[in-house]
Amino acid sequence: MNNKVSRRKFAIQSATLGFFAITAKKAESAPTEEHRLEVAPEAHIGTIRPELHSHFAEHLGSCTYGGLWVGRNSRIPNISGYRKQAVEYLKALGIPVLRWPGGCFADDYHWRDGIGPVEKRPKVVNIHWGNYVEDNSFGTHEFIGLCRLIGAEPYIAGNVGSGTPEELRDWVEYCNYPAGSRLSDERSANGSPEPFKVTYWGIGNENWGCGGQMRAEEYSGHYRRFATYVRPFGGTTPFMIACGPNRNNKDWTEKFFESMPSGRARKPNGFAMHYYSNSRLPATNFTAEAMQQQFQSFQGLEQAIVEQRALLDKFDPGKNIGLMVDEWGVWDQMVPEEQQKYGRLWQQITMRCAVAAALGLNVFHRHADKLYMCNIAQIVNVLHSVLLTEEDKCIRTPTYYAFELLKPHRGKTSVKVENDDKSALKLSVSASRHENDLVLTLVNSQPDTTMNVNCSIAGKALVSTATARAMYHADLNACNTFDRPNEVVPRNHAASASGSLVRTEMPPLSVVTITARLG
Ligand code: AHR
């Protein structure tokens, strides 16, 4: 059911049912749609691995330098060089895994440049992101230090494009060998006697593009050669991640696996596709039409997950290889003055971006059985970021709050939902449960429609309580700025439980998470 009803009829229905302690403010002209969902708490999809909510930091623009890392002598409040406010916000959000140092940068990064006394580290040109010179003051030790501060698992992307198997092999030993070897002693002399215990290793990045412009068959050979030398040390077994396709490029996946001999080759543990949601408009000048076009890419993302997993299953029937999306998010038209001021690929984050983030996370939850890890691009000041910084200011973007709203799903079991919106895009849904706790995230992606959502529980299980948090804004281009950092923030929202029914009203362009108790 998805019929539009008049606002008067809706008001009568609401009053009759006697719920809505608080009513969301509706745009005067917004029509209301009635929607029905049925959650099946016993129809398990799979565990929503917290890793599906992971992040990515590159040496690009002001993501690492100037964003996360301000340096030990900065006047900006810092913890041993890390921007203090960013650390606090990221720690509060919980960052399951942080991928670094790229991106395209990874295949031009030589890790030895970033260890040892800072004043002796070489100054190198970042050829991918503007030919600027960086001083390598943020290297492996600084990355691991950041991960420890914010509680994230490190994921290091190795250099295949311009590096050697020896270089990657040595990086793994440097990080993970406990003690007594040349490289572990060097690590110890550089201040870290304890091994870093890095599990996640990317064998290159976008090797079909900036990582070497390779054909799939060529990369498959490189993958095998590099992977041969990535070894377990001291109880840490590397989880090796192969470069997957751009979007849903099946040819890449097929040729990569077809070129992989059966038998002794060290198969990847993860296979990572990249899927961006592009647009030709600048972030704060979106039209409703451009927004809908961008949102449609999330249907493409969902289809790519299903089809890439099916292909993987052909080559890996035992499902030993985890499908990953280790770069995703909105990529809008950059504004030259903003890039000039804040660095490459800096874009403002709006209410639309929060909806996009929630659409993406809902897709991942619905396919929790098919996915191992997903990393939004990127964490600070670049693309679909959760934080923006300017000098000593650091603000949380609507993307940050979208992740916060969906955080209660982490670690719970994703369950099936029957949605009357078969597109799963106008009204996007994911649901999860742990014992009697049920979490439901609803996304109304329509900028001009209020949705009155009635959600029943299959099997008529009773719902004793329902509370909700929501984020919405009448302006799809609304954003948090350094002067108005709280323009788009979540707030408590009305939801009701009655019998086996949960109900809420969703304002146009909104993300709502309902936490309910069964029984
Ligand atoms: O995230 C920005 C860039 O997008 C990354 O460096 C690259 O991997 C991708 O093309």
Side-chain angles (χ1 to χ4, degrees):
M1 194 184 87
N2 178 5
N3 53 319
K4 297 206 173 194
V5 294
S6 70
R7 291 192 60 195
R8 186 163 173 275
K9 191 168 161 206
F10 171 75
I12 294 167
Q13 282 173 348
S14 304
T16 315
L17 287 161
F19 89 116
F20 285 149
I22 313 163
T23 309
K25 200 173 160 221
K26 279 183 281 189
E28 270 317 301
S29 57
T32 299
E33 282 183 359
E34 291 282 314
H35 279 278
R36 283 199 186 283
L37 305 171
E38 187 180 70
V39 180
E42 303 305 330
H44 295 181
I45 296 172
T47 302
I48 297 177
R49 297 170 50 80
E51 290 81 355
L52 304 190
H53 289 214
S54 294
H55 292 260
F56 167 38
E58 182 163 4
H59 289 215
L60 194 183
S62 54
C63 180
T64 301
Y65 292 105
L68 295 163
W69 177 253
V70 294
R72 291 187 174 82
N73 302 323
S74 176
R75 57 164 196 86
I76 297 170
N78 67 86
I79 307 167
S80 311
Y82 307 102
R83 184 185 284 271
K84 186 165 182 287
Q85 185 67 85
V87 166
E88 284 166 6
Y89 284 151
L90 296 176
K91 206 169 154 186
L93 182 60
I95 305 295
V97 176
L98 184 60
R99 176 176 183 252
W100 171 88
C104 294
F105 181 79
D107 283 280
D108 188 41
Y109 182 62
H110 301 283
W111 67 272
R112 294 204 66 93
D113 292 348
I115 57 166
V118 175
E119 56 293 350
K120 291 199 175 142
R121 296 186 193 175
K123 298 198 170 35
V124 298
V125 177
N126 185 326
I127 57 166
H128 285 293
W129 301 115
N131 277 348
Y132 69 89
V133 172
E134 56 181 66
D135 65 4
N136 274 303
S137 54
F138 192 94
T140 306
H141 289 252
E142 289 76 19
F143 171 60
I144 298 296
L146 173 66
C147 289
R148 287 186 179 153
L149 267 180
I150 62 176
E153 272 295 316
Y155 166 4
I156 291 182
N159 179 346
V160 169
S162 71
T164 62
E166 179 192 21
E167 186 182 16
L168 182 58
R169 174 232 172 273
D170 284 356
W171 202 0
V172 178
E173 181 183 325
Y174 184 87
C175 289
N176 291 351
Y177 199 79
S181 74
R182 174 176 57 90
L183 289 166
S184 56
D185 287 350
E186 190 178 359
R187 181 194 68 234
S188 186
N190 286 334
S192 299
E194 280 300 308
F196 294 147
K197 299 184 177 161
V198 177
T199 298
Y200 299 114
W201 291 90
I203 314 296
N205 167 78
E206 294 195 355
N207 302 93
W208 35 260
C210 61
Q213 306 287 346
M214 299 178 198
R215 285 179 290 112
E217 301 88 329
E218 268 176 279
Y219 171 67
S220 187
H222 282 290
Y223 169 82
R224 292 197 303 280
R225 183 156 173 247
F226 278 69
T228 302
Y229 302 97
V230 173
R231 294 303 175 97
F233 292 124
T236 305
T237 302
F239 182 100
M240 294 183 299
I241 298 154
C243 163
N246 184 21
R247 298 167 81 91
N248 195 9
N249 183 346
K250 300 191 188 72
D251 194 51
W252 175 270
T253 305
E254 272 164 355
K255 292 198 168 125
F256 173 79
F257 283 106
E258 277 162 5
S259 316
M260 176 101 22
S262 53
R264 298 193 55 191
R266 299 193 66 210
K267 299 244 163 35
N269 307 99
F271 188 66
M273 71 160 123
H274 287 182
Y275 204 108
Y276 282 100
S277 300
N278 302 90
S279 165
R280 289 177 186 205
L281 287 182
T284 52
N285 278 325
F286 255 68
T287 58
E289 195 192 1
M291 177 174 74
Q292 292 307 329
Q293 268 173 18
Q294 189 174 57
F295 287 169
Q296 273 162 20
S297 70
F298 289 93
Q299 289 178 316
L301 170 63
E302 185 153 20
Q303 188 179 348
I305 291 167
V306 172
E307 294 182 359
Q308 290 289 330
R309 182 68 254 176
L311 262 183
L312 270 184
D313 290 350
K314 203 172 98 191
F315 296 105
D316 170 41
K319 292 193 196 291
N320 296 310
I321 304 174
L323 180 62
M324 301 170 48
V325 189
D326 70 7
E327 289 186 29
W328 69 279
V330 297
W331 188 320
D332 301 330
Q333 176 73 261
M334 298 303 147
V335 179
E337 301 76 50
E338 288 175 347
Q339 290 205 100
Q340 188 73 31
K341 186 166 180 193
Y342 298 114
R344 288 291 283 272
L345 302 196
W346 189 94
Q347 63 186 32
Q348 183 50 277
I349 300 296
T350 64
M351 182 63 220
R352 163 189 55 87
C353 306
V355 169
L359 288 175
L361 293 175
N362 268 356
V363 167
F364 302 152
H365 295 175
R366 290 200 292 268
H367 297 280
D369 56 333
K370 302 180 186 65
L371 290 166
Y372 196 87
M373 187 194 297
C374 303
N375 308 66
I376 194 167
Q378 299 191 4
I379 195 163
V380 179
N381 288 337
V382 167
L383 298 176
H384 206 160
S385 59
V386 294
L387 301 179
L388 292 176
T389 68
E390 182 183 65
E391 294 167 0
D392 60 346
K393 295 189 189 126
C394 176
I395 60 169
R396 287 167 288 189
T397 68
T399 312
Y400 181 100
Y401 293 115
F403 271 77
E404 189 181 86
L405 279 171
L406 280 107
K407 191 176 171 184
H409 291 279
R410 293 185 196 173
K412 293 196 171 60
T413 304
S414 177
V415 297
K416 289 194 177 152
V417 182
E418 185 68 33
N419 183 353
D420 67 0
D421 171 28
K422 296 302 169 207
S423 75
L425 188 61
K426 281 168 78 179
L427 172 60
S428 149
V429 188
S430 74
S432 63
R433 78 174 286 195
H434 176 67
E435 295 173 352
N436 283 346
D437 292 326
L438 183 71
V439 181
L440 204 58
T441 293
L442 315 173
V443 183
N444 174 0
S445 71
Q446 302 299 293
D448 52 5
T449 310
T450 298
M451 289 182 180
N452 181 25
V453 180
N454 295 274
C455 177
S456 57
I457 312 294
K460 304 247 173 302
L462 295 180
V463 187
S464 51
T465 58
T467 57
R469 299 265 299 156
M471 187 162 64
Y472 48 91
H473 201 288
D475 177 4
L476 64 93
N477 289 316
C479 56
N480 296 335
T481 63
F482 297 107
D483 297 329
R484 290 172 60 90
N486 298 316
E487 183 65 20
V488 188
V489 291
R491 55 193 97 172
N492 290 337
H493 191 68
S496 72
S498 149
S500 63
L501 204 63
V502 177
R503 304 191 69 204
T504 195
E505 183 191 82
M506 303 186 68
L509 211 60
S510 58
V511 181
V512 179
T513 291
I514 300 174
T515 310
R517 182 100 187 135
L518 300 176

